[in-house]
Each structure stands twice: as C-alpha cells, then as structure tokens.
Amino acid sequence: MRTKIVAGNWKMNKTLSETEVLLTELVSKVPDTKAEVIVAPTFVNLSTTVNHLANSVVQVAAQNMHFATNGAFTGEISAAMLLDIGVKTVIIGHSERRSIFGETDDMLAKKVQTALDNKMRIIFCFGEELAERKHNKHFEVVESQLKNALFSLPVEAWSHIVLAYEPVWAIGTGETASPEQAQEMHAFIRKTIAKAFNQKVAEDVTILYGGSVKPNNAKEIFSKPDVDGGLIGGASLVADDFIAIIKAI
Ligand code: 13P
C-alpha cells in the first residue's frame, strides 16, 4: 500500500506569530487520518514549527535546500542545518524554484543526491507549463524532468522519494487539472518509472497532485487511483480549508 500524503507548501507566507496561530489551529483540528500530514513553512519559522508540532502527527518539511555541504553560498541552507533542527523532509524542484530562481535539472539532481546522502525524504516537484501542454508536449516534458533528476539513482533511493506532479498552469491560478488529466499524467509517470526501474518501484511511489487543490475539488482529484494525495499551496494557509482537504483523502 502506498502512503497517502497531504502536504501544505506555505511558500513565502506567514510571519512567526502568524505561523504559530495557524499551527495552533491545525493541531487542534487535524482529523484522525491514515494519511501523513506535512507542512512546509519558510526557513525562519522551521525551528518553531518543529517544536510546536513535537507531540502532533503533523510533520515538517523545508521548501528548499542547497546541494553543497557548507561554504560560501550566501543566503542558502544546508542539509545538515535542516537535520540539526529536526527537519528530515525537503521539497526539491518546485516550479517557482525552477522558473524564478533558475534551478536546472542538473542542480536538482545534485540536491536530490545531497538529500539522499543525508538520508532525508524528498518531495520532488515537476510539471509542464501551459504552452507545453497546449503543444501536446506535457508527457515528454515530465518524462525528461524525471529522467534528468532521478533516473540515474539506484533502486533503493526510491523509498526516500515522494513525487509531486504540479502542472505550472494550475499553480495559484484557480484552474486545476481535471481529475482525469491528473490521473492520466500520474498513470504515465508510474508507467515511465516501471520502465526505468521496475514495477514495484512504480507501484510503491507516492505521487501527489498539486495546483489549485481546494476543499471543493480535493475529493474528486484524490479519488483517482494513481493520485495519492496533494501538495497544497494557497488553501493550506487557511486552517479550515487545509483540514477539509485532509478529510477528503
Ligand atoms: P496552489 O495550491 O496555491 O495552486 O499552489 C500549489 C503549489 O505550488 C504547491 O506547491
């Protein structure tokens, strides 16, 4: 059985005090669920979040990290720094990191390797842009993003990897992929991984959908057989909405 996950990517939102308010509300309302629940606050609020959630089922992830061990990388955060404050999961390859901060497949492959070297869990994001879907290139784009960052890894690495398909045109736009489009892509991803590795790796990997998941569409998207949960942006900043999405899994 694959692990189901609902993760909230809080991006560059919430001050420390706002984070504490949201965490308090989440902890008091989080439902009893077999799914894993993860939140990814901004770096400066990670430590407080780890402490706040110490007795909660809710887990913590970082939104990014650098691939180097340490050194002259002004503004960057290392795996050791995250582990030292109790953060063992990291989001890598979010489309905003790729498009706004110029992260390439090559850099992402290095980040993945560093996370694995440090025995961290990775939520690896990828997805096509609108023009690529319009030109029917979405399968090709997704396959190449996966191949360039993940397909040289050994089979054992996959127990540390969660995938998050996030079509760029659906992020923060209010426009979601239809449940059928999500299912079609997730099935393609599984087939591609089965070819590159084996059937078991493909069956066991958790594949999240991300892009304008809201309380009113989560249930239908999560009902698809190859969709194992969601990576939620905007709706994860509102406790009641995030809780409603967790209940939809
Ligand atoms: P939205 O849910 O706001 O569209 O964001 C999705 C996302 O980018 C999660 O990483």
Side-chain angles (χ1 to χ4, degrees):
M1 267 291 273
R2 294 191 284 272
T3 315
K4 302 229 182 233
I5 298 175
V6 179
N9 175 8
W10 292 352
K11 308 191 181 185
M12 196 177 73
N13 292 293
K14 303 281 176 192
T15 61
L16 179 58
S17 53
E18 289 165 349
T19 298
E20 286 177 321
V21 171
L22 179 54
L23 288 169
T24 302
E25 210 178 338
L26 274 182
V27 168
S28 69
K29 293 181 175 173
V30 71
D32 205 12
T33 168
K34 285 204 180 74
E36 287 185 40
V37 179
I38 302 174
V39 294
T42 185
F43 284 127
V44 290
N45 296 334
L46 278 173
S47 226
T48 301
T49 302
V50 169
N51 294 336
H52 199 112
L53 297 176
N55 298 314
S56 160
V57 294
V58 182
Q59 303 171 44
V60 187
Q63 297 175 15
N64 179 32
M65 68 173 205
H66 198 267
F67 50 77
T69 309
N70 66 302
F73 299 99
T74 301
E76 292 293 330
I77 305 283
S78 72
M81 291 170 187
L82 295 176
L83 290 171
D84 191 46
I85 58 165
V87 176
K88 302 184 192 78
T89 301
V90 60
I91 298 172
I92 291 177
H94 192 280
S95 70
E96 288 145 20
R97 299 295 320 167
R98 293 173 188 260
S99 67
I100 306 171
F101 301 101
E103 294 194 4
T104 60
D105 285 348
D106 186 42
M107 288 163 76
L108 298 176
K110 287 186 189 159
K111 289 184 180 209
V112 166
Q113 191 56 56
T114 299
L116 291 170
D117 290 345
N118 285 278
K119 302 192 167 34
M120 296 178 80
R121 178 149 78 153
I122 297 155
I123 301 176
F124 184 80
C125 304
F126 55 93
E128 81 283 0
E129 293 183 8
L130 183 59
E132 292 163 340
R133 181 162 279 263
K134 282 198 169 144
H135 291 99
N136 217 22
K137 292 246 184 294
H138 44 299
F139 293 118
E140 198 181 305
V141 168
V142 160
E143 182 165 6
S144 107
Q145 288 172 327
L146 291 173
K147 184 166 167 251
N148 293 341
L150 304 177
F151 282 8
S152 312
L153 296 172
V155 167
E156 308 80 69
W158 283 88
S159 60
H160 291 266
I161 296 171
V162 170
L163 298 178
Y165 168 59
E166 298 202 307
V168 177
W169 48 273
I171 295 177
T173 58
E175 188 183 344
T176 62
S178 68
E180 292 69 31
Q181 283 173 320
Q183 169 57 29
E184 183 186 37
M185 182 57 87
H186 284 219
F188 170 78
I189 293 162
R190 243 181 257 291
K191 204 174 75 191
T192 306
I193 293 171
K195 255 194 283 168
F197 292 88
N198 61 52
Q199 194 63 34
K200 179 160 169 46
V201 169
E203 279 304 315
D204 288 351
V205 67
T206 295
I207 310 178
L208 310 180
Y209 168 79
S212 297
V213 177
K214 306 287 177 203
N216 65 2
N217 59 24
K219 205 169 184 65
E220 219 189 326
I221 295 171
F222 294 165
S223 72
K224 294 297 176 191
D226 287 299
V227 178
D228 306 312
L231 182 55
I232 322 298
S236 70
L237 296 167
V238 179
D240 285 339
D241 287 357
F242 193 45
I243 296 292
I245 292 170
I246 295 166
K247 284 182 177 160
I249 192 96

